[in-house]
Amino acid sequence: TDLEVTHWWTSGGEAAAVAELAKAFNATGNKWVDGAIAGGGDTARPIMISRITGGDPMGATQFNTGRQADELVEAGLMQDVTEVAKAEGWDKIINPPSLYKSCVKDGKWFCVPINIHSWQWMWMNNGVFEKIGKPVPKNWNEFVADVPDLQKAGIIPLAVGGQSWQSNGLFGVLQVALGGVDLWKKVNVDKDAKVAGGPEMLKIFKAAAQAREWSKDTKVQDWNQATNLVITGKAAAQIMGDWAQGEFAVAGKVAGKDYTCLPGLGVNEVISTGGDSFYFPKQKDPEKTKAQLVLAKTLLDKNTQVAFNLKKGSLPVRGDVDLAAANDCMKKGLEILKKGSVLPDGSQTLSPDTTGQLQDVIDKFWHDLSITPEEAQKQYAAIIAKAD
Amino acid sequence: MNTSVSVKDLTLKFGAITVLDKLNLDIQDGEFLVLLGSSGCGKSTLLNCIAGLLEPTDGQIFIKDKNVTWEEPKDRGIGMVFQSYALYPQMTVEKNLSFGLRIAGMAKEEIDKRVARASEILQIGPLLQRKPAALSGGQRQRVAIGRALVRDVDVFLFDEPLSNLDAKLRSELRVEIKRLHQNLKNTMIYVTHDQIEALTLADRIAIMRSGLIQQLDDPMTIYNEPNNLYVAGFIGSPAMNFFKGEITSADGRPAFVTNGVTFMLDGYRAKGPLQPGTKAVLGLRPEHISVDGPETVNTHQAVVEIEEPMGADNLIWLKHAGQSMSVRIGGNRRYSPGAQVKLAYDMSLASLFDAETELRI
Amino acid sequence: MNTSVSVKDLTLKFGAITVLDKLNLDIQDGEFLVLLGSSGCGKSTLLNCIAGLLEPTDGQIFIKDKNVTWEEPKDRGIGMVFQSYALYPQMTVEKNLSFGLRIAGMAKEEIDKRVARASEILQIGPLLQRKPAALSGGQRQRVAIGRALVRDVDVFLFDEPLSNLDAKLRSELRVEIKRLHQNLKNTMIYVTHDQIEALTLADRIAIMRSGLIQQLDDPMTIYNEPNNLYVAGFIGSPAMNFFKGEITSADGRPAFVTNGVTFMLDGYRAKGPLQPGTKAVLGLRPEHISVDGPETVNTHQAVVEIEEPMGADNLIWLKHAGQSMSVRIGGNRRYSPGAQVKLAYDMSLASLFDAETELRI
Amino acid sequence: MERAAPKRRNSLFKNMSAKIAAIPMAFTALVVFLGGTIWTVVYSFTNSKLLPRLNFVGFDQYARLWSTPRWLISVENLAIYGVLSLIFSLVIGFTLAVAMDQKIRFENTFRTIFLYPFALSFIVTGLVWQWLLNPDLGVQHIVRSLGFTSFTFDPLYNADIVIYGVLIAGLWQGTGLIMVIMLAGLRGIDEEIWRASRVDGIPTWKTYVFIIIPMLRPVFVTTLVLIGSGIIKVYDLIVAQTGGGPGGASEVPAKYVYDLMFYSQNLGQGFAASSMMLVTVIVIIIPWAYLEFSGKRAR
Amino acid sequence: MNTMVSATGSVTSGTSAEPRGAKPKRVVSRRNVIVYGTLIVAAIYYILPLYVMIVTSLKGMPEIRLGNIFAPPVEITFEPWVKAWSQACTGLNCDGLSRGFWNSVIITVPSVVISIAVASLNGYTLANWRFKGADVFFTILIVGAFIPYQVMLYPMVIILREMGVYGTLQGLIIVHTVFGMPILTLLFRNYFAALPEELFKAARVDGAGFWNIYFRIMLPISLPIFVVAMILQITGIWNDFLFGVVFTKPDTYPMTVQLNNIVNSVQGVKEYNVNMAATLITGLVPLIVYFVSGKLFVRGIAAGAVKG
Ligand SMILES: Nc1ncnc2c1ncn2[C@@H]1O[C@H](COP(=O)(O)OP(=O)(O)OP(=O)(O)O)[C@@H](O)[C@H]1O
Ligand SMILES: Nc1ncnc2c1ncn2[C@@H]1O[C@H](COP(=O)(O)OP(=O)(O)OP(=O)(O)O)[C@@H](O)[C@H]1O
Ligand SMILES: [Mg+2]
Ligand SMILES: [Mg+2]
C-alpha cells in the first residue's frame, strides 16, 4: 500500500536518513511516498496541520516530539497505535521513558518517537585553532579565552544563522551549560518567573550578549550555511543541535580529527531529549490504516533505528541497540544518555505559543545590539510568568 | 385606422427622480411619430419603455391592442435602431441582420429570404460579407435599419439614428428614411433633438419637455401655431423673435405694445377675445418679417447690427424695440452693419402668448 | 493693410503621406479667414503649422512680417481655441484664464486686469470661480476663447470650436464670435467643415481639398460662382443639382442638353465663349428654381417625389431629366408626392462646368 | 384593450439567468469573504490554540496583541513600507511612464524590461534580491572588490534599514505594472490639452504637475487599489528575503498572523491580529469604495 | 533680424539664414539626455537581477565561489540547468523541477480558464444586469481584494473541507477562482461598462437572453481584457506557492513548491547556480507569456484599468 509521509528533512544528511526509513518500509511490501517540504518545521507544519484538519490527511507525518500535535490528537484526528505499542512492548524499550510520555494520552499511543536530538552541542573546526596556534578548547571558558585571537585572525568566533530559532536554541544551551540543569528546570518546567528574572539568569543574558557580538559577521540565514562556515574555517565554532553532525559527515570530515564536539559546552554534560516523532492521521481506507501500523512498527525496528540514526546524526530511542559504527561525537552522546543525564526538550515543556514568544524576545535581543541584557531579561521573565 | 402603440399613464422614476410623469400617447397604425425635445427631457426613456428595455414604475403600454407592459422586448413586435447603431462589431453584415432570427431558431431558408429582402430594400447587397468596421456611417445606418427590418415587426423605434453623422449625410439619409416609410407603411417612432429632422419626417410631432408632452400635432401646426412659449421658442432656426409687452387697443383695434413700439394685431387669429391690459409675449419668425418691402399697418424702422450670409439666405440681426431680433431675407440681398431698414410684419403668421401661463392666446 | 499671416510654399509630410503640398496663403490684418473642407483634408494640420504645434517639412510662415517658422508657439503672438476646448479640468475658470500668464511671470495686477477685461467681453464674470465640469458647452467655449483673449495676441486660431455643440447653441455662438471679431478686429483663422459657419463668419473662405486650396474668395463669390465642380458641390445645403450633358446651340443661342431636355443658357455669364459640343455639367441651386411661377424661356414639367417641410422652407424632391433634383420653396406651399409642377430657372444664377477639367466655364 | 393586464412577474424570478450566473460571486462574497471574516472575528474572542474552539475570553487576545512588541513593530513596518512603497511606486511609475511617453525609440524594449519582474513571484523576487544584497556576494562585495573597502551596503543584515532593502525588491517587482497603467492613462489624455499648454507657453514639467496629474485621477485610483492591496498582503517577499529578520526588524502583520496561527499554534491570537487588519482595511476601503464605485456609475 | 523681409515680396528665394522648414535639432539635446538617462538607469535596475540570475546559472560552483556575481561566466556550463530541471533533490525525490512542471500546467490551465470565466461573467452581470444587491456583492469583493491570503487560509480550509473538495484539483481551482475574483471582476466590470450600452439593448431587442448576449455578443469583443486577465492569472497562479502547498499533495505539487524545496534544501554549500537556474526555469512560463503578449497587455490595461 502506498503511504504518503510528510516531513521537513531535506538537507543532505537528513535526506540520506529518510532514505533508510523508506527502504525499510518498502521492504515490508508497502510503498513510501515521500512528501518532503523544505524550509524547516515552520514552513512544513502549517501545511501538515491544514491537510489534516482539511480532511485530506497524509499517511504519516513528522512532528517534533512534544506538544505540537496535542490538539490534533484530542480532536480525534490521529490513529491510535496502541495495538502495535503493546505488541512490541515499546514502553520497555524506549529510553529514556520521558520520550514517549508525549505520545501517550489516556493510556493510548498516538505516535512513535524515532530519534533523540539534543541541542546541547558546540561544534568547532580543529584547523582554525591550529592556525592561531592554540589547542582546541575543551569547554566554553577556554573558548571565550581564544576569542580575541580568533578575531585577530579574521575568523568569526561563533557562527549563528539569521533564523530566529537558531539564536533561541543557542540561548537555551547557554542556559543549561552555564546556569545548570536546576536553573533550566525552574524556568522551563516550573515556569518560575522569579528565577527567570533573577541574577542567575542575568548571567546567562550577559554571556549571550557577549556571544552576539562575536557572531555578528555571520551573514547567512540557514543553519547549515552557518555550519558550512565552520566546516570551511571561516568561523571557528557553532552552537547547534546534533543534526549539524550530518553536514560535517556529508563534507567528509571526521569527528575528533577535523572537528570537535562539546556536549553541554563541555561544562554541563547533558543531553536534551528533543527529537522527532511520527504521527498517523486517521485514514478512511482500512488498507492504509494497516500500512500505518506496519510503518509504526518499522520505525522502531532495531535495524531501522541504527541505519537511520547513523545517517541523521541523532541518537536512537532504543537503549538496546548497538551503535558500533557510531562516530566519536555520537558515542559521547550515547554515553551521557546511558548515564541518564537527560533533560526534556523545550518543546516538551513549553507550548508552541510560549516558545514563539520567547523566541521573539531572544531573536530581537540577539540582533539588536542596543538592547541590554537587563531589558531582555525583563521581557523574558514576563513571558515565563504567563506561560502555559 | 387603429392605434398601433398606446401609452397609458406611463410613469417612470429613477430613484427619486421622476423622468416620465403619467404620460399618455396614442400612435396610429402606419404613422410616423417624432418625439422631439431637448437633451435629457426623457425621450430615450420613453422609447426604451415602449421597447421593453426599461420597466415602467407605473402605467401600461399597448402595442397592437395587446398589453405588453410586462413582455420581453423580443415579444413586442418592435424593431429598434440606435444612435450609435450598435452593430455587433464581430459579425458580418449578414450575421448582424440574421442574429435575432437565428436566436429565435428560424429556418435557414426563411432567414435567407428575409435578409435578401431587407438588403434589397436598403441596397446593402454588396456589403453583406463585410464587418461593420469596414462600412461608412451611412452604410452602418442602413444595416442598423435592416436589423429591424428582417424581424418583420409592426413598429420601428429610432433613437436619434442620424445624430452621429455629418450634416451632408444626415440630409441624405433623412430622405431615405422618409422613402422607407412611404414604402413600408409601418408605424415608426423616431426620437431626435434635431428639429429639421422632426419637421421633415413626421406625420405628427410630440414635443417633450421634462417628461411631459407639450404639444402633439402635425409639423405645420406646430411650426405655425405653437401651443405655448416653449414650443414656439424650441421650433424654428433661427429662433422666433419674442417681444414682451402688453395687449392694448389702438384706434379700437387690438394691438400690442412693447417698449413704446406698437404692433397692430390686424389679421392675428386669436383663440379668444384679446383682453387689453393682458401681459403678453409676441412671437415673430425671422422669415415672416419683410424688409424694405411694401408698407403695411405695421411698418417700423430698425438698424442692422450684424449680417450672417448663409448662401441661399441672408440673416440680419437688428436692434428693434430695445432688443435684438433676426430677420431672414434672400441670399442675394445684402445689408452692412449700421444700415437703416424698414420692417413690415404679417400678423396672420405671428403668435401671441399669455406672459403668465405661457399659453397661446 | 498689411498681411498678418503669410504662409509660403508650406509642405508637410507625415512619413510618406504628403498632407500639405507647397501651400501658399496670405491673410490680411484684421481679416476673418475660414478654412473649409471635408474631414481629413489638412485644415487642422495647416492651422497647427501656423501655431507652431507641428513642424513643417518645408516652407516658411510669417506672422506680422516676422519669420516665425522656428519659433515656439508661445512666441508667435497667437492664441488658439480647440475643438474639445482643452480647458484644464481641475482649475477654475479664472485659473484657466490666468495660468499661462502666471507661468510667464506677469504681475498680479496686470493679470487681474486682463482676466477682468476678457471676462467682461465674454460675459463670464459670474463663472470665474467654477470648474469647467460645471459649465455648459457654450460657456466652456467662451472660456476657451477667453484663454486666447487674455494673451493679447495678434492672431486667433480656431479649430472647429463649435463642432461639439448642438445646433441651437452653435447658431448662437456663431453670432457671438462674429460680434467678437467686429469688436476686437483681430486677425482670425477659423477651421470648420460646417459651411453655414463658413458662410456666415468669413470675410474670405479658403476651400481646401486634400492639402490644396481650391478657391479663396469671399463667401458670396464662392456660393454664387464656384470655381469648380468640387466647390460647387461642397457648398450649399441642400446641395446644388447637377446635370451632365453637352453644350449645344438652339435657335442660334447657347443651350445645354441633358437626357433630351434642353436648358437655354440665356443670361449665363460665361467666362469665355461657349463651344457647342463641349461635354459640360450644369449646376442649379434648389433655391434658384421657381415652381409654378411665371413662365420663362426655361420652363419644364416635373413630378414631385417627396416633400420635406422644414418649417420656414419646404424642400421638394422631383424627378427631372431622368434624375432626382431638389427645389426649395416657401414653407407654406405644400405639394404632395405625385403632383405635377412647372419649373423655371434663372440662368444668371446657374453654374456651368467643363465635364473634363471640372472648371467653371 | 380593456383586457386585464398580465401580472407583473415576480421580481424574484426576473433576470433569473443573471442571478444564477451571480451565484459564484455571491458565494465568494458572502460565504468566503464575509463569512470568513465574521468567522475570524468571532474566533478572535476565543483562546483557540491549534484548532478553533469556542472558548470565549473576551478581549484578552486584543490586549495581548497590542502589548506584544513584535506586533507593534509589524504595524510600524507596514506603515513605513506602505507609505514609502506608495510614494515610490507612484513616483517611479509615473516618471518612467512620462519618459516612455516622449516618443522614444525602443519603447517596446524598455517596456518589456520594466514589466518583466511582474511576471516573477515574490518568492523569486525575494531570493534574487537576497543574493544581490548579500554583502558577501552582491553589491557590497563588488564595490569593495573595486577598491572601496569601507563601502557598506547590507540592508538585509542591518535592523535599522532592513525594511528599505525589502522596499528595493518590492519596487523592482511592482513598479512596471504601475508604469504601464500610468502610460495607458497618459496616452488617453486629449492631445489638445498638450497643444493648449504649449500655446500658453507652459513648460513641459509644469504641464505634467499642474494639468496632467490632476487629470489622471481615475488612473491613480486604479493604481492605488493595486498598490494598496499589495502592501497589505506583503508576506511572501519578507519570508523569502529576510524571514522577518534580523531580529524581527522586518516583521509585517500578515506574517505575524501566519506565524501565530501556525507556528505558535495560537489561533485566537492570529485571528485577533487578522481582525485588526480587516478592521483597518474596512475602515479605509468601504467609504472609499462606496464613493468610487457606486452611484456615479449608475445607469 | 534687421533686414525685415516684406512678406509678400521676394521671400521665396529665402537666404540660408532665413528659417525654413523644420527647425534643426541636435541629437544630444538636454531633453534627450534626461529622458534616455532616466530610462537607461532604470533599465539597469530592472535588468540587473535577471542578468545576475542568468550569468550565475551558467557558471560552475568553483567560479561562483571566487566571487564576482556580475562577471560573465568564464566557462559556460549548462550543468546547473540540467540539474535544476531533472536532478535536484528534495527529500528522496531527485527529479528536479520536471515533476512540478506538468503539475503546474495541470493546475494552471483549468484554474485560469475557470477563474476568468467566472470573473468575466461577474463583470458582465454587474455591468449589464444590475439587480438588487449586486453592488453589495461587488463592494465586498473589492474589500476582499485587500485581505491577505494568509488570513483567509483557515476559513478556506474549513469551507473546502465542508464541500468535500479539500486536496483535490477542484478545490485548488476554487481557491484560485475565489482569490482572483476581486481584481478580475473589477477589470471586467469596467470593461463591459465602457462598452456602448446600446449594443446590449440591441441584442435584447433581437431576442437574445442573458447567455446568448454573453457568449455571442460580449465575449467576442472582449479580447483585450481577456488577455489582461489571462496574463494576470497565469502569472498569479503559476507563481502561487501558498495555495499550491496547502491545497495539494506531494505528487501534485506545482513547480513553485519544488522550487522552494530545491532552493531551501541546502546540501552543504548553497548551489547558487542550480538555484538560479531553477528560479529561471520556474519563471519561464510567465516570462514568455509577457514577452509574447506585452503589446496586447498594454492595450487591455488601457481598456480595463484606466476608466475607473
Ligand atoms: N439610469 C438612470 N438613473 C438616473 N437617472 C437617469 C437614468 N437614465 C436617465 N436618467 C435621467 O433621465 C432623464 C431623461 O433621460 P433620457 O436619456 O430619456 O433623455 P433624452 O431625452 O433621451 O436625452 P438625449 O437627447 O440627451 O438622449 C435625464 O435627466 C437623465 O439624467
Ligand atoms: N500624426 C499623423 N500621422 C500621420 N498622418 C496624419 C497625422 N495627423 C494627421 N494625419 C493625416 O493628415 C491628413 C490631414 O489631417 P487633418 O487633421 O489636418 O485633417 P482635418 O482637415 O483637420 O480633418 P477634420 O475635419 O477631421 O479635423 C489626414 O488624412 C490625416 O489622416
Ligand atoms: Mg436619448
Ligand atoms: Mg481637424
Side-chain angles (χ1 to χ4, degrees), chain E residues 64-253:
Chain E
I64 291 173
R65 219 166 288 134
L66 287 180
N68 199 334
I69 56 170
F70 296 104
V74 183
E75 214 180 304
I76 293 182
T77 165
F78 291 98
E79 191 61 25
W81 286 72
V82 174
K83 187 162 182 202
W85 175 249
S86 56
Q87 292 160 12
C89 293
T90 335
L92 297 185
N93 304 311
C94 288
D95 42 8
L97 291 169
S98 54
R99 231 159 41 118
F101 178 79
W102 283 112
N103 289 337
S104 275
V105 172
I106 290 165
I107 290 167
T108 304
V109 171
S111 299
V112 167
V113 170
I114 290 173
S115 64
I116 289 181
V118 170
S120 67
L121 212 49
N122 291 347
Y124 163 68
T125 310
L126 287 169
N128 290 315
W129 297 84
R130 303 159 57 83
F131 54 87
K132 266 213 188 91
D135 275 339
V136 176
F137 296 149
F138 184 62
T139 310
I140 296 177
L141 281 192
I142 292 296
V143 175
F146 287 82
I147 302 177
Y149 297 148
Q150 290 76 17
V151 173
M152 295 308 291
L153 206 53
Y154 217 111
M156 205 65 216
V157 166
I158 292 175
I159 289 168
L160 291 189
R161 186 183 68 202
E162 295 306 311
M163 291 171 71
V165 291
Y166 186 95
T168 62
L169 186 60
Q170 293 95 295
L172 191 59
I173 292 172
I174 290 175
V175 171
H176 284 303
T177 304
V178 161
F179 289 99
M181 197 181 283
I183 295 284
L184 293 190
T185 300
L186 175 66
L187 282 179
F188 276 105
R189 173 182 169 279
N190 286 355
Y191 184 85
F192 286 127
L195 290 178
E197 198 195 359
E198 295 187 341
L199 208 56
F200 170 73
K201 288 187 173 173
R204 281 198 68 194
V205 172
D206 263 348
F210 183 86
W211 296 105
N212 263 321
I213 296 178
Y214 175 68
F215 282 111
R216 298 166 83 157
I217 308 289
M218 296 301 183
L219 275 201
I221 56 177
S222 330
L223 179 72
I225 200 68
F226 269 92
V227 170
V228 172
M230 253 170 54
I231 292 179
L232 288 181
Q233 283 303 82
I234 289 178
T235 50
I237 296 173
W238 188 272
N239 285 332
D240 161 68
F241 169 77
L242 186 68
F243 299 143
V245 77
V246 173
F247 295 106
T248 56
K249 310 178 197 202
D251 42 347
T252 52
Y253 276 160

Side-chain angles (χ1 to χ4, degrees), chain B residues 168 174-175 178-179 199-200 220 223-224 233-234 287 305-313 328 334, chain C residues 168 174-175 178-179 182 199-200 220 223 233 287 305-313 328 332 334:
Chain B
K168 210 163 188 74
R174 217 164 57 205
V175 177
K178 182 118 194 183
R179 232 176 237 144
L199 290 167
T200 55
M220 276 305 108
Y223 190 80
N224 290 321
F234 189 76
E287 70 272 20
E305 271 201 320
I306 281 186
E307 187 196 18
E308 282 198 294
M310 319 212 289
D313 310 300
R328 198 174 87 161
R334 308 297 299 269
Chain C
K168 204 160 190 80
R174 217 164 57 208
V175 178
K178 183 120 194 182
R179 230 174 239 145
Q182 283 186 353
L199 289 167
T200 54
M220 276 302 109
Y223 190 80
E287 70 272 19
E305 274 201 318
I306 282 186
E307 186 196 21
E308 284 198 292
M310 320 211 287
D313 309 301
R328 199 176 87 161
N332 292 325
R334 307 296 300 266

Side-chain angles (χ1 to χ4, degrees), chain A residues 42 71 219 353 357 359, chain D residues 49-50 64 154 263 266:
Chain A
D42 300 2
E71 285 197 39
K219 302 215 156 149
D353 188 19
Q357 285 176 282
Q359 192 161 300
Chain D
K49 294 287 179 192
L50 178 63
R64 170 169 160 194
D154 56 349
Y263 175 73
N266 188 341

